[in-house]
């Protein structure tokens, strides 16, 4: 079945540094990828929608200059958390959808980011 | 406004007992409904979905959910739970015209005890 690989699974970084998270579709081409953030005991919140070859669409309240999203190919999207702060510590999950309009969404295993 | 509500944040249950995880939604348009399961430090896995047709949908591991339009609910049930069912369960909705964006409930932590 379709697999989405997200890397790294865990990362600890110092405040002020940047962290890149990769989301890859391993056996299908993903025209659209979604990035979610999950706070403890809360639901997943959609951060942005990434379409291959175009700029990402950010949800209201998400800083596009802080959470840089690149979707340069049909199998890879990256989320870069720039100048990370402790409040950015969270669980980030990507999901990917294939080319067909009816393609199901497949989720990565998530990345636990801890900013110290 | 469109929303998804999971009334129970935690549901403790003994092994082999039945369980129901509640999910309600509000929407003025047609919806597609999903249940996802998340094991610790892992991503979401699709458990089951309702797109159209029969209002009762089943998963391969014994879970089922029934779409009730009049009550705007999509409760998840299992007649006999196992220790391995311990996880967090998320109800999610895509609204017609939503561009495949999922709106999630806040999740229900199912803890199965011996």
């Amino acid at each position: 079945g379709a697999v989405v690989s997200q890397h790294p699974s865990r990362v600890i970084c110092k405040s002020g540094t940047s962290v890149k998270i990769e989301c890859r579709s391993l056996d299908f081409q993903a025209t659209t990828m979604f990035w979610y953030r999950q706070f403890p005991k809360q639901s997943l919140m959609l951060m942005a929608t990434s379409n291959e070859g175009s700029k990402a669409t950010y949800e209201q309240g998400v800083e596009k200059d802080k959470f840089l999203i690149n979707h340069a190919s049909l199998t890879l999207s990256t989320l870069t958390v720039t100048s990370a702060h402790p409040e950015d510590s969270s669980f980030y999950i990507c999901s990917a959808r294939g080319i067909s309009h009816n393609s199901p969404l497949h989720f990565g295993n998530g990345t636990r980011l801890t900013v110290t | 406004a469109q929303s998804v509500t999971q009334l129970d944040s935690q549901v403790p249950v003994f092994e082999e007992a039945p369980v129901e995880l509640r999910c309600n939604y509000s929407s003025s348009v047609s919806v597609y409904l999903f249940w996802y399961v998340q094991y610790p430090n892992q991503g979401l896995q699709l458990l089951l979905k309702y797109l159209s047709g029969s209002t009762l949908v089943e998963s391969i591991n014994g879970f089922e959910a029934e779409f009730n339009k009049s009550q705007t609910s999509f409760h998840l049930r299992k007649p006999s739970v196992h220790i391995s069912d311990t996880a967090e369960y998320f109800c999610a909705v895509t609204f017609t015209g939503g561009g495949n964006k999922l709106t999630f409930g806040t999740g229900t932590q199912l803890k199965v005890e011996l």
Side-chain angles (χ1 to χ4, degrees):
Chain A
V3 176
V4 172
S5 174
Q6 192 172 336
H7 177 80
S9 58
R10 291 176 178 269
V11 59
I12 301 173
C13 70
K14 293 184 177 181
S15 185
T17 61
S18 295
V19 174
K20 180 184 285 187
I21 302 170
E22 293 186 347
C23 182
R24 293 180 183 274
S25 57
L26 297 184
D27 57 358
F28 68 101
Q29 293 181 320
T31 53
T32 306
M33 288 187 174
F34 302 89
W35 286 95
Y36 292 86
R37 182 176 180 177
Q38 184 182 20
F39 293 98
K41 306 296 183 182
Q42 296 188 31
S43 179
L44 283 83
M45 301 298 294
L46 179 64
M47 299 175 65
T49 302
S50 166
N51 290 298
E52 187 268 338
S54 63
K55 291 184 178 180
T57 302
Y58 290 81
E59 296 298 304
Q60 191 173 8
V62 178
E63 299 177 60
K64 59 182 66 177
D65 293 330
K66 181 169 186 59
F67 298 100
L68 301 179
I69 292 174
N70 183 281
H71 193 164
S73 77
L74 285 171
T75 59
L76 174 65
S77 176
T78 60
L79 166 67
T80 302
V81 182
T82 62
S83 187
H85 292 281
E87 56 264 31
D88 298 325
S89 298
S90 190
F91 195 54
Y92 294 86
I93 299 178
C94 71
S95 68
R97 181 167 66 90
I99 293 176
S100 169
H101 180 69
N102 293 322
S103 297
L105 282 174
H106 300 280
F107 286 82
N109 281 348
T111 298
R112 173 73 61 191
L113 171 63
T114 303
V115 185
T116 60
Chain B
Q2 298 161 332
S3 64
V4 179
T5 302
Q6 289 182 249
L7 296 171
D8 307 301
S9 59
Q10 288 187 336
V11 174
V13 62
F14 288 109
E15 192 173 36
E16 297 184 3
V19 70
E20 178 180 81
L21 307 183
R22 296 180 291 173
C23 173
N24 290 87
Y25 68 93
S26 66
S27 174
S28 58
V29 298
S30 297
V31 297
Y32 303 134
L33 296 150
F34 307 82
W35 275 99
Y36 286 88
V37 58
Q38 184 180 29
Y39 298 100
N41 294 313
Q42 294 187 30
L44 295 174
Q45 299 174 35
L46 180 63
L47 192 59
L48 46 76
K49 62 185 177 183
Y50 169 78
L51 302 180
S52 63
S54 173
T55 57
L56 183 65
V57 291
E58 299 176 349
S59 71
I60 58 174
N61 57 354
F63 283 94
E64 65 178 29
E66 185 163 18
F67 170 53
N68 188 319
K69 188 174 182 179
S70 63
Q71 297 186 3
T72 60
S73 68
F74 192 55
H75 302 331
L76 181 69
R77 296 187 292 262
K78 188 170 185 179
S80 177
V81 296
H82 189 266
I83 287 285
S84 60
D85 293 324
T86 295
E88 187 140 22
Y89 293 79
F90 289 91
C91 180
V93 176
T94 297
F95 303 100
T96 301
N100 214 7
K101 295 179 184 179
L102 287 171
T103 298
F104 287 88
T106 50
T108 298
Q109 181 69 43
L110 174 64
K111 186 174 182 181
V112 181
E113 302 170 348
L114 291 173

